[in-house]
Every structure is written in C-alpha cells, then in structure tokens.
Amino acid sequence: MDTADLALPVNVPSTALFTDQYELTMLQAALKAGTAARHSVFEVFTRRLPHGRRYGVVAGTGRVLDAVENFRFDEAVLGFLREKAVVDEETLDWLAGYRFSGDIWGYPEGEVYFPGSPIMRVEGSFAECVLLETVVLSILNHDSAIAAAASRMSSAAGGRPLIEMGARRTHELAAVAASRAAYIGGFSSTSDLAAGFRYNIPTVGTSAHAFTLLHDTERDAFRAQVDSLGGGTTLLVDTYDVTEAVRAAVEIAGPELGAVRIDSGDLLLVAHRVRQQLDELGAHNTKIVVTSDLDEYAIASLAAAPVDAYGVGTQLVTGSGHPTASMVYKLVARAGTADPGAPLMSVAKKSTGGKTSVGGRKWAARRLDAYGVAEAEVIGTGEVPPELAERQLLVPLVRGGEVVAREPLDVVRDRHAAARAGLPLSATQLSRGEPVLPTEYAHGPSGS
C-alpha cells in the first residue's frame, strides 16, 4: 500500500489562524523595529519525556508539511484580523503575501527521540518562522504522544495485530490524526473511515451490541450478519451469555467463522475458555479479538492468553495518560542585522524553574556500541565529529519553501519499527524508568 500525504481529502483550506495572537503581535512589533528580517533558527525539542517513558516517537511531520504549505492569509482571514484589530494595516499587507520561503530540517518521521533532541529545525527570517510556532507544535505534540502510546502497545502485543478504534473518544478531526499516528506506531488498521479515506489506512469493523439487541434473539442477529458479510465475519459474543453465543456463532457460520470478539469481563479467563470451546467445536482457525478499555499494560497481561488481535480506543487516542509530548519551539540562533550574510549568534532562554534552553543551530547523531545497538543521543553545534558523520539524524524537509520530503506512510511505519529495534532491549519494558539513551552535548562555536 502506497500512502503519501499528498493531495488527499479531509484537508483544512488554510492553516493561517491555527496560531496564537501573540505571534502576529510579535510580527507587527518586529516589522516596526526593523528586526523582522533577521535570519533566525527555531528548534522543536522537549526538555523531558513523559514520566516513566523510555523513548519518544516523532509523528506528524507529514501533516506539518501540509500545514506549512497551506499557511496562507486569504481575504477572509485578513478581513477577520482587520475587523478584530489584531494587527495594523502594514502587518496585514505583509501577511497578504506570506509564503514560507525558508528551510526546515528534522528527524525523519517515525524516528525515536530523547530529551533535548532537535526534532525539527525551522530556519528563515524571524517574521516567517515565528508564525509557524503554534501549528507546528499542535501537530507534533498530539501526533507524537499518540504514536508513543501506540509504539508501547504494539511492543506489548508481541506481533499480534492492533486495531485503532478511538474515534468516538476524541475530537472528530483529532481522531483522523490519531489513527495516522497509531499506524506509524505499529497499529495495523482503524475503525475510522475518515482515516482510511484520508491516509488509506486499512479499515475494519462489523457490528456492536446494538445490532444484537435489535434482533429478537442473538441467533437472529448472528444469522443476519453472516448472511450479509459471510462466514469470515467477526461476531460479538458477550452481549448475553458468552458460552451460548460461541456455540450459536459456530453453528450459524460454521467452523470457518472468521473471529469472535470479546468486549467485557475477565478477558484473560474468558479468552482461554472461548479458545477451548472453539477448538472443541472444530473452529480451530477462528480468531479471538478482545477490546474493552485496553492499554499497554492490559495488552501485556494478555500475552499468555489465546488472543489473536486487540482493539484499542480511549487509552490510545489520549496518549495512554500522556496526551502531549510537551515539545517547545524556541529561537536558538539569530543574526544581528537583516543583512543576508550576517553571522548567526547563539541565543537561549536562561530563566529559572527548569525552562532553560540550549542555544545554537544543532546537529544530532546516534552513537552505536560495538554490537550496533544505540548507546547515546549526541547533540552538538559546529562541526560534526568524523565518527558520527554517518549517524546524523536530521534530514531536509523543506528547502527554499519547497517540500522535499513527502513519503509513503508505510515507509514511516517501517522506519519506526527499525528505529525501535535499534534501541537497547530495555526500551520496550513497560516498567517505569529513565530514557533508554542518555543525551550528550558537544558544543561548538557560538551561533554555529
């Protein structure tokens, strides 16, 4: 399946107002001060991973590229800003011609990251870069949080398929983005048709308890479903009595029944009983799908159970307790004048309370041990040490305002699987711990 984030439906026409007002007021003040054209470097990073997480997952990059391309101030948007007196006419005139013309570098989507990793670098004039802060962060923070939860769940599933089914537990558009992020993190399908339409993610679904309750008997419901969808369908067997439902399901669909779904009760116990019953009825190939408020811990607890697939909703689309990746977008270097050739100088926030940042345009590389396993995330400015030159992580995403890095979603998904596999084995442990790789800093000349 070739799924690229390109010219597909369910797009927002303009992303220009997916921003905070202070970005426009900063622009206005910088235009008046003559500093708006200063060459600037912004970086996206997180100061820490969510408590207990061992690694993060970069997700949403493809959506960021779409958002940057669609960041346009059309007449309706400019009219709103004028009516509300958000900025003055000089600034509105500048916004009318806005097109991002700078460069964006970043970790390739699906890659893992750690505290301090320069996940994305946005470079151009201060004016054009500062406007992108909110939309970039809103996408990366949401999608990376979902992808990290999905990655933990797919690791816990041990190769068994995972179905994303959380659309009814979040905002309707967030559900589409969550499905995309879950697919990157290792899920194999979604129940959300908008996600299938937008990103060509495989979609699945058969029936809910309401369908059984609609009919006079459970057998009538099963018969109606099999008559419509065939014997390979999945029958929901926990509306009334599970044992009776499994018996009826096999009698109606035959031993080649595709699957049964269990959505309540002690899933470990019920799954074992259902497997035994299916085998006794000759339905040896009928699979067992479990749902019911699963998270990575519940999935791991079912590792020894005869479960063939998991359906996950609420915990997935809420990041399994961590709905944001806490990424920030900070100015780390800027020129002293608007001269295109002016050298960059390092800048950094020095406030107390843990909200400091590290100045300078950065590179990042992952050092491997003698066995080819990652052992450190190395971040620096200036020259890249020769031994790390082939292990650099940032890749070009936008050059001169033109997107250069669109890629099929399946490529991103495979990249994440490979990146996770390259980490120490402890990365996939569900027990709480520190980031599995330490972050090391190698500083070069100021402003590099």
Side-chain angles (χ1 to χ4, degrees):
M1 179 177 61
D2 186 17
T3 59
D5 296 351
L6 181 61
L8 291 175
V10 196
N11 271 333
V12 176
S14 171
T15 53
L17 292 184
F18 289 175
T19 189
D20 291 304
Q21 181 166 319
Y22 77 169
E23 289 167 3
L24 298 188
T25 54
M26 281 192 287
L27 169 65
Q28 176 176 305
L31 288 170
K32 288 186 179 300
T35 53
R38 289 184 176 183
H39 192 82
S40 300
V41 180
F42 287 83
E43 287 178 353
V44 176
F45 63 94
T46 184
R47 296 183 176 95
R48 63 192 64 84
L49 298 179
H51 181 62
R53 296 287 173 90
R54 314 304 296 276
Y55 61 92
V57 180
V58 178
T61 307
R63 297 207 308 120
V64 167
L65 300 181
D66 288 342
V68 171
E69 280 195 334
N70 291 328
F71 207 89
R72 303 284 186 269
F73 292 84
D74 58 26
E75 286 303 316
V77 170
L78 292 170
F80 165 77
L81 296 175
R82 180 177 290 110
E83 177 188 353
K84 301 299 182 182
V86 174
V87 289
D88 61 19
E89 285 298 324
E90 179 187 355
T91 306
L92 290 173
D93 289 343
W94 190 93
L95 292 172
Y98 180 87
R99 301 289 186 274
F100 180 74
S101 63
D103 299 331
I104 300 178
W105 288 67
Y107 279 38
E109 191 166 18
E111 183 57 85
V112 296
Y113 70 87
F114 299 90
S117 297
I119 296 160
M120 186 171 287
R121 186 174 75 217
V122 182
E123 191 164 347
S125 72
F126 176 84
E128 62 182 338
C129 294
V130 74
L131 296 183
L132 299 178
E133 175 182 4
T134 300
V135 70
V136 167
L137 289 179
S138 65
I139 292 172
L140 293 180
N141 269 317
H142 173 269
D143 290 21
S144 296
I146 305 305
S151 179
R152 285 163 60 85
M153 293 173 186
S154 66
S155 178
R160 296 170 179 174
L162 289 157
I163 306 163
E164 184 278 311
M165 47 197 307
R168 64 191 62 193
R169 300 293 186 240
T170 188
H171 184 279
E172 65 271 18
L173 294 182
V176 181
S179 181
R180 181 184 183 280
Y183 190 70
I184 291 171
F187 276 59
S188 56
S189 58
T190 179
S191 66
D192 187 54
L193 289 176
F197 184 51
R198 174 68 179 86
Y199 297 113
N200 204 24
I201 299 169
T203 59
V204 296
T206 51
S207 68
H209 293 103
F211 187 76
T212 300
L213 296 170
L214 168 69
H215 293 80
D216 295 336
T217 69
E218 189 171 51
R219 298 180 71 90
D220 289 342
F222 287 174
R223 190 172 292 108
Q225 184 173 328
V226 171
D227 288 347
S228 175
L229 301 178
T233 190
T234 299
L235 295 174
L236 181 59
V237 295
D238 71 324
T239 305
Y240 304 119
D241 180 87
V242 173
T243 301
E244 289 300 318
V246 171
R247 182 179 297 111
V250 176
E251 289 177 3
I252 292 167
E256 298 308 311
L257 170 65
V260 295
R261 179 163 74 95
I262 306 165
D263 189 51
S264 60
D266 183 336
L267 296 178
L268 180 62
L269 176 62
V270 175
H272 277 287
R273 289 177 175 174
V274 168
R275 181 74 270 161
Q276 181 179 354
Q277 185 182 8
L278 287 170
D279 290 342
E280 290 172 351
L281 294 170
H284 301 287
N285 295 322
T286 299
K287 299 185 182 303
I288 297 175
V289 180
V290 297
T291 51
S292 185
D293 294 325
L294 299 178
D295 62 8
E296 60 266 48
Y297 300 101
I299 291 169
S301 73
L302 293 168
V307 172
D308 298 288
Y310 307 90
V312 190
T314 302
Q315 292 301 317
L316 176 65
V317 299
T318 57
S320 194
H322 298 287
T324 177
S326 298
M327 295 176 187
V328 295
Y329 183 98
K330 297 298 181 184
L331 182 66
V332 297
R334 53 91 173 170
T337 71
D339 185 338
L344 291 175
M345 61 182 71
S346 174
V347 296
K349 184 177 179 179
K350 299 296 183 183
S351 63
T352 58
K355 285 194 171 184
T356 59
S357 57
V358 178
R361 180 204 279 133
K362 299 173 195 69
W363 51 262
R366 192 160 297 149
R367 191 173 68 238
L368 308 183
D369 65 15
Y371 300 96
V373 178
E375 65 176 8
E377 195 88 339
V378 185
I379 300 167
T381 58
E383 294 297 321
V384 181
E387 66 273 16
L388 294 176
E390 300 300 316
R391 302 297 309 169
Q392 293 190 73
L393 291 163
L394 278 82
V395 299
L397 303 174
V398 175
R399 282 199 181 110
E402 297 295 324
V403 174
V404 297
R406 279 201 172 86
E407 55 189 354
L409 199 54
D410 285 337
V411 170
V412 176
R413 189 172 187 266
D414 291 344
R415 177 183 295 122
H416 174 62
R420 187 178 64 189
L423 297 176
L425 287 176
S426 58
T428 57
Q429 292 178 347
L430 295 183
S431 56
R432 297 189 184 279
E434 297 300 312
V436 71
L437 296 187
T439 301
E440 300 177 1
Y441 288 95
H443 296 296
S446 177
S448 313

